[in-house]
Amino acid sequence: SKSSDPNNKGTDNLLKGISIFINKNKKFKIHLITFNYGLHMKASMQLINKLNIKENVTWFPVVSRKKILYAMYHSDVVCCEFDNRSWFTSGVIIEALTLSKVILTYRKDSFYLNYYKKLFYILNAKLPSEISEKLNEYIRNKEVHENKSSFGSEWYDYNIVQNSLKHYIRYFKN
């Protein structure tokens, strides 16, 4: 994967991490839902076959955001980006926050601490071994991680919605 490619989300790292997790946890059922779009889709399908995790992955056609939100709502963990870039927000991260879901993604916290008093909770991982370990942590302490993530919608409301409204109100008052 080329880190300079803005379309690269590090899906190869996610797939390799899931493969490691599956091989270490033979009795545990894990399933990844992904969608048929993106420049790296064919490479991802090939990697899934190479890693022998095809039965653990379901590909959906491109669907409306409403249907994606439905799938996210019924998932345990929402997986986002695992490339060298630190993603603070994206459409998927914002959607997961509003649903108060556990988010597994890569974020370099030091980039954002000057802008926010407190960052929203994530399972922070980038490399395949880290992704596998974070999935293990989630399983060992599912209730703890879900509780910490339950404040995602509050964080979103305060930091994104309320702060944006304050800026607009100031703008229109002047």
Side-chain angles (χ1 to χ4, degrees):
S1 69
K2 295 182 179 180
S3 62
S4 62
D5 181 354
N7 296 299
N8 185 31
K9 306 290 190 243
T11 305
D12 54 336
N13 285 347
L14 174 63
L15 295 173
K16 290 172 186 173
I18 287 174
S19 177
I20 293 168
F21 176 85
I22 290 168
N23 288 324
K24 288 183 177 180
N25 299 280
K26 299 275 187 204
K27 294 179 184 176
F28 193 83
K29 301 282 186 212
I30 185 172
H31 203 84
L32 176 68
I33 297 172
T34 191
F35 297 91
N36 284 335
Y37 72 93
L39 298 176
H40 303 287
M41 186 180 76
K42 285 185 182 178
S44 294
M45 288 180 172
Q46 291 171 345
L47 183 58
I48 288 166
N49 287 331
K50 180 181 175 186
L51 296 171
N52 198 27
I53 58 172
K54 193 173 182 176
E55 68 271 6
N56 301 91
V57 180
T58 298
W59 289 89
F60 281 109
V62 176
V63 295
S64 69
R65 294 311 295 176
K66 182 178 178 180
K67 289 182 180 177
I68 292 172
L69 284 169
Y70 180 82
M72 289 171 77
Y73 176 78
H74 290 284
S75 66
D76 291 311
V77 177
V78 175
C79 301
C80 298
E81 287 87 9
F82 305 94
D83 191 32
N84 289 324
R85 289 178 303 271
S86 176
W87 292 88
F88 188 67
T89 59
S90 67
V92 174
I93 291 173
I94 295 296
E95 291 163 345
L97 285 171
T98 62
L99 295 170
S100 295
K101 299 306 286 186
V102 175
I103 300 170
L104 175 62
T105 194
Y106 171 65
R107 178 179 72 201
K108 190 166 185 174
D109 291 349
S110 62
F111 286 1
Y112 311 104
L113 292 173
N114 289 334
Y115 302 102
Y116 298 96
K117 291 178 186 173
K118 185 176 182 184
L119 303 178
F120 56 88
Y121 180 74
I122 64 169
L123 295 172
N124 199 350
K126 177 173 65 171
L127 302 174
S129 59
E130 296 169 341
I131 292 166
S132 175
E133 181 51 37
K134 292 299 179 178
L135 289 169
N136 275 311
E137 281 181 29
Y138 171 75
I139 289 166
R140 285 191 302 267
N141 297 299
K142 185 176 179 179
E143 190 174 306
V144 169
H145 294 293
E146 288 176 348
N147 186 28
K148 289 179 178 182
S149 296
S150 70
F151 297 101
S153 62
E154 291 174 29
W155 186 96
Y156 171 79
D157 182 58
Y158 177 78
N159 288 283
I160 306 298
V161 177
Q162 297 301 322
N163 281 340
S164 296
L165 288 174
K166 287 177 192 174
H167 290 296
Y168 281 117
I169 290 169
R170 271 187 255 144
Y171 173 78
F172 287 115
K173 280 187 175 180
N174 295 329

